């Protein structure tokens, strides 16, 4: 009688192959001990929120060709076709050197301004195996205008035409639709009109986007310029809002803004338009991505 | 006497369980490919998880959508963001069986035809599939290979009108997974 439990156990053992794991258990077997790190992708569709920089870079080996176009002010009336007769255009390219670093160059029709920039992704939002709540990129540019000297008889310095901008871009993607960014900036002008004007101009801004479908989002961006920094001319905060439309390799951004400037210095420290007065400029960005260097596994 | 019983039970148990064997891999390969007039789509995933149970023939796949690598980074972003929505549906799974498992001799090297039947879940949509392929037994490893087409509409993956001619409605899937015995 004492042996009965052992016989029962033996029977269990014999039956065990029939109790083999089902498919779900097999699937459990495939569970990773360490879940993979999931880097947040596409916080913004392209490298601009509206007119200012977003945390995004072109992917490694990819070149972004970007045309920025601002028409004249809407309040210039029919004689100026509500601004359609005027235009400021910046033609630029950006290239992703690696997963973090990108550089760009551009030419702006406003005072024939050339600019160059570097953008570096310092921190990346991630989930899964490693978690981090936001992305942080650093941006720095230099711009120089190259129109003829106003007083060619005088000794002129190229450096007096140079401006710089440094930005800290901090962004978070909330779910799949909403992304927000905070953008503190510093603009440095080598030469300012009067001694009362500051050479270093600080602004605090931000922006965001809300996807309304997989390919369309509504974006807005605002930059506040602190008082007392620019005194020789009246400057205002910059506000822009628009729509991103993505079609394959292109992103179209159509927007309204009170900033005519297309460089950071232009719209952060030199926005002379006011929404309330109708100094609103219609503008668009068209960007196109080209794969220049293929990922390793696709090289022949 | 008790001790002997325990020994015998364990030994017998192990012998019987020894007939069952699980083959697994964590770096199987799945390639997806489609060619339309304007756009060639090709992506490779080399981190495919699979497990095969012998003798029942249960065969499961787990594929992380984000692990598909594309030639064009933007295409990869769109694949995840717009088509497969990998934030919402991070993985694709297949739960199935090799129906002719009895015809495959896992102790003899060779290439055997195999029929797989089961449920494929992509983009949160489950669809029954039945496909043919081969199993190759070599050096104690089992390599499963198959090539088949799937329809995007079966998995509720919609193509916007603007690019409807750019993207093929079906995708060719090539599977190659080499599994080794799980100890």
């Amino acid at each position: 009688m004492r042996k009965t439990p052992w016989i029962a156990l033996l029977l269990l053992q014999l039956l065990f192959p029939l109790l083999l794991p089902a498919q779900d258990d097999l699937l459990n077997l495939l569970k990773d001990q360490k879940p993979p790190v999931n880097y947040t992708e596409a916080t913004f569709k392209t490298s601009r929120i509206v007119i200012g920089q977003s945390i995004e870079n072109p992917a490694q080996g990819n070149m972004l060709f970007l045309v920025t176009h601002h028409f004249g002010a809407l309040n210039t009336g029919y004689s100026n076709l509500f601004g359609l007769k005027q235009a400021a255009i910046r033609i630029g390219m950006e290239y992703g050197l690696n997963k973090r670093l990108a550089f760009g160059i551009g030419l702006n029709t406003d005072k024939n301004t050339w600019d160059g920039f570097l953008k570096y992704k310092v921190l990346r939002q991630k989930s899964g195996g490693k978690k981090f709540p936001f992305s942080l990129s650093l941006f720095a540019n230099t711009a120089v205008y190259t129109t003829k000297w106003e007083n060619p008889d005088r000794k002129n310095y190229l450096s007096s035409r140079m401006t710089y901008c440094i930005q800290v871009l901090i962004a978070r993607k909330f779910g799949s639709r909403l992304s927000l960014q905070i953008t503190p900036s510093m603009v440095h002008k080598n030469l300012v009109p009067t001694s009362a004007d500051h050479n270093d101009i600080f602004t605090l801004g931000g922006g965001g986007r809300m996807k309304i479908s997989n390919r369309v989002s509504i974006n807005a961006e605002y930059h506040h310029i602190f008082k007392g920094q620019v005194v020789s001319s009246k400057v205002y905060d910059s506000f822009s809002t628009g729509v991103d439309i993505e079609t394959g390799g292109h992103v179209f951004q159509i927007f309204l803004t009170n900033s005519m400037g297309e460089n950071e210095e232009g719209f952060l420290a030199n926005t002379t338009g006011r929404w309330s007065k109708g100094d609103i400029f219609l503008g668009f960005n068209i960007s196109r991505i080209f794969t220049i260097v293929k990922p390793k596994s696709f090289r022949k | 006497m008790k001790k002997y019983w325990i020994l015998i039970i364990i030994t017998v148990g192990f012998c019987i369980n020894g007939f069952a064997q699980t083959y697994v891999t964590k770096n199987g390969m799945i390639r997806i490919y489609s060619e339309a007039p304007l756009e060639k789509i090709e992506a490779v995933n080399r981190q495919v998880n699979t497990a095969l149970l012998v003798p029942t023939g249960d065969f499961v796949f787990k594929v992380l959508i984000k692990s598909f690598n594309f030639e064009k980074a933007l295409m990869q972003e769109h694949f995840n963001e717009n088509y497969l929505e990998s934030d919402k549906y991070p993985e694709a799974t297949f739960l199935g069986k090799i129906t002719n498992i009895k015809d495959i001799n896992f102790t003899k090297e060779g290439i055997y035809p195999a029929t797989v039947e089961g449920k494929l879940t992509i983009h949160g949509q489950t669809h029954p599939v039945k496909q043919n392929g081969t199993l190759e037994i070599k050096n104690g490893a089992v390599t499963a290979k198959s090539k088949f087409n799937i329809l995007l509409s079966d998995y509720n993956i919609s193509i916007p009108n603007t690019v409807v001619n750019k993207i093929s409605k079906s995708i060719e899937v090539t599977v190659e997974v080499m599994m080794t015995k799980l100890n």
Side-chain angles (χ1 to χ4, degrees):
Chain A
M1 268 305 129
R2 272 180 61 212
K3 278 169 190 163
T4 327
W6 293 109
I7 289 162
L9 257 177
L10 178 64
L11 273 171
L12 249 173
Q13 282 277 21
L14 283 165
L15 284 168
F16 194 72
L18 303 176
L19 305 172
L20 279 171
Q23 288 160 2
D24 284 329
D25 300 302
L26 266 187
L27 209 58
N28 279 334
L29 193 76
L30 300 179
K31 270 209 182 117
D32 281 318
Q33 277 84 26
K34 266 196 207 156
V37 180
N38 189 359
Y39 288 101
T40 304
E41 281 187 323
T43 305
F44 295 96
K45 290 245 187 260
T46 182
S47 64
R48 313 293 152 124
I49 300 179
V50 184
I51 60 173
Q53 300 289 336
S54 76
I55 54 149
E56 299 293 351
N57 279 345
Q60 180 172 5
N62 279 221
M63 189 186 88
L64 180 83
F65 179 71
L66 175 70
V67 177
T68 306
H69 188 124
H70 293 193
F71 288 107
L74 289 178
N75 64 359
T76 50
Y78 178 78
S79 61
N80 194 35
L81 289 178
F82 302 97
L84 290 186
K85 284 183 156 183
Q86 283 170 289
I89 299 162
R90 179 184 177 276
I91 297 171
M93 65 73 80
E94 294 162 27
Y95 184 78
L97 287 165
N98 57 39
K99 282 194 168 100
R100 292 176 182 268
L101 183 64
F103 74 91
I105 52 168
L107 173 61
N108 194 328
T109 57
D110 179 26
K111 292 201 280 183
N112 298 4
T113 307
W114 288 89
D115 68 88
F117 70 79
L118 289 171
K119 201 199 278 180
Y120 188 75
K121 291 185 167 187
V122 181
L123 301 167
R124 291 180 291 174
Q125 187 182 340
K126 55 198 164 198
S127 58
K130 282 183 189 167
K131 289 186 172 62
F132 199 73
F134 61 86
S135 299
L136 188 150
S137 298
L138 292 177
F139 168 85
N141 85 344
T142 304
V144 55
Y145 65 93
T146 58
T147 42
K148 280 189 180 152
W149 297 104
E150 284 147 24
N151 299 309
D153 309 332
R154 192 172 83 183
K155 180 134 179 66
N156 288 299
Y157 298 95
L158 184 70
S159 61
S160 62
R161 305 182 133 190
M162 293 174 88
T163 61
Y164 310 89
C165 177
I166 294 170
Q167 293 186 311
V168 182
L169 315 163
I170 303 158
R172 177 172 163 83
K173 188 176 185 181
F174 298 87
S176 62
R177 300 175 75 186
L178 177 70
S179 302
L180 295 176
Q181 181 176 308
I182 302 168
T183 316
S185 315
M186 187 191 92
V187 171
H188 178 84
K189 296 181 184 185
N190 278 348
L191 187 69
V192 286
T194 69
S195 59
D197 289 309
H198 292 195
N199 288 88
D200 293 331
I201 296 156
F202 294 89
T203 66
L204 180 62
R209 72 103 192 255
M210 181 80 196
K211 274 169 88 174
I212 53 173
S213 81
N214 273 342
R215 289 160 191 87
V216 180
S217 73
I218 291 175
N219 298 20
E221 190 177 348
Y222 179 76
H223 294 279
H224 175 69
I225 179 161
F226 295 104
K227 295 265 179 299
Q229 303 186 98
V230 180
V231 291
S232 60
S233 59
K234 274 235 171 272
V235 294
Y236 301 97
D237 295 349
S238 165
F239 178 73
S240 317
T241 182
V243 180
D244 276 15
I245 303 160
E246 185 178 47
T247 63
H250 294 92
V251 178
F252 295 99
Q253 296 180 293
I254 300 161
F255 53 83
L256 293 170
T257 176
N258 62 331
S259 297
M260 192 62 179
E262 286 158 350
N263 289 328
E264 274 62 28
E265 182 267 331
F267 64 81
L268 292 173
N270 204 13
T271 292
T272 50
R274 264 193 290 179
W275 277 78
S276 58
K277 300 283 180 200
D279 304 321
I280 302 165
F281 307 92
L282 176 68
F284 57 82
N285 298 335
I286 297 175
S287 65
R288 168 79 205 180
I289 279 273
F290 297 95
T291 304
I292 306 295
V293 180
K294 292 175 185 177
K296 259 186 201 137
S297 52
F298 286 93
R299 282 177 214 159
K300 292 276 140 47
Chain B
M1 193 60 191
K2 230 178 189 176
K3 280 176 194 164
Y4 289 117
W5 268 112
I6 293 166
L7 264 178
I8 289 164
I9 286 166
I10 289 170
T11 319
V12 169
F14 267 103
C15 283
I16 294 165
N17 285 330
F19 289 123
Q21 186 55 251
T22 311
Y23 293 86
V24 293
T25 182
K26 284 188 185 297
N27 42 28
M29 191 276 294
I30 287 182
R31 182 192 302 275
I32 57 175
Y33 181 82
S34 87
E35 203 155 1
L38 284 167
E39 203 83 81
K40 183 190 86 175
I41 297 168
E42 189 183 6
V44 183
N45 188 332
R46 293 185 191 280
Q47 289 154 271
V48 174
N49 291 288
T50 67
L52 170 64
L53 193 65
V54 180
T56 62
D58 286 304
F59 198 14
V60 300
F61 280 69
K62 196 183 80 164
V63 183
L64 268 185
I65 300 300
K66 281 211 171 178
S67 304
F68 277 99
N69 289 309
F70 285 69
E71 186 175 331
K72 292 181 181 171
L74 191 68
M75 206 183 265
Q76 186 167 330
E77 188 181 307
H78 291 166
F79 174 77
N80 282 295
E81 278 268 302
N82 302 341
Y83 294 95
L84 274 288
E85 300 178 274
S86 60
D87 279 341
K88 234 189 272 177
Y89 311 107
E91 58 189 40
T93 56
F94 173 77
L95 299 179
K97 254 183 194 300
I98 294 178
T99 50
N100 62 334
I101 191 84
K102 296 277 179 288
D103 306 332
I104 297 163
N105 184 351
F106 284 83
T107 55
K108 193 177 164 219
E109 293 198 347
I111 298 172
Y112 302 86
T115 303
V116 180
E117 219 177 320
K119 285 174 182 165
L120 180 58
T121 305
I122 305 172
H123 192 229
Q125 301 290 314
T126 304
H127 201 78
V129 290
K130 186 178 177 185
Q131 298 299 343
N132 294 318
T134 58
L135 277 192
E136 186 181 353
I137 318 292
K138 201 178 176 186
N139 300 332
V142 178
T143 306
K145 286 185 193 177
S146 184
K147 191 184 259 191
F148 53 93
N149 283 289
I150 58 170
L151 278 175
L152 296 185
S153 53
D154 286 345
Y155 301 96
N156 203 12
I157 299 165
S158 57
I159 304 168
N161 290 330
T162 47
V163 291
V164 78
N165 295 318
K166 272 191 175 183
I167 297 174
S168 170
K169 287 171 186 66
S170 79
I171 296 271
E172 182 191 271
V173 182
T174 310
V175 181
E176 192 178 324
V177 291
M178 192 177 104
M179 296 168 284
T180 50
K181 270 183 192 171
L182 179 79
N183 295 313

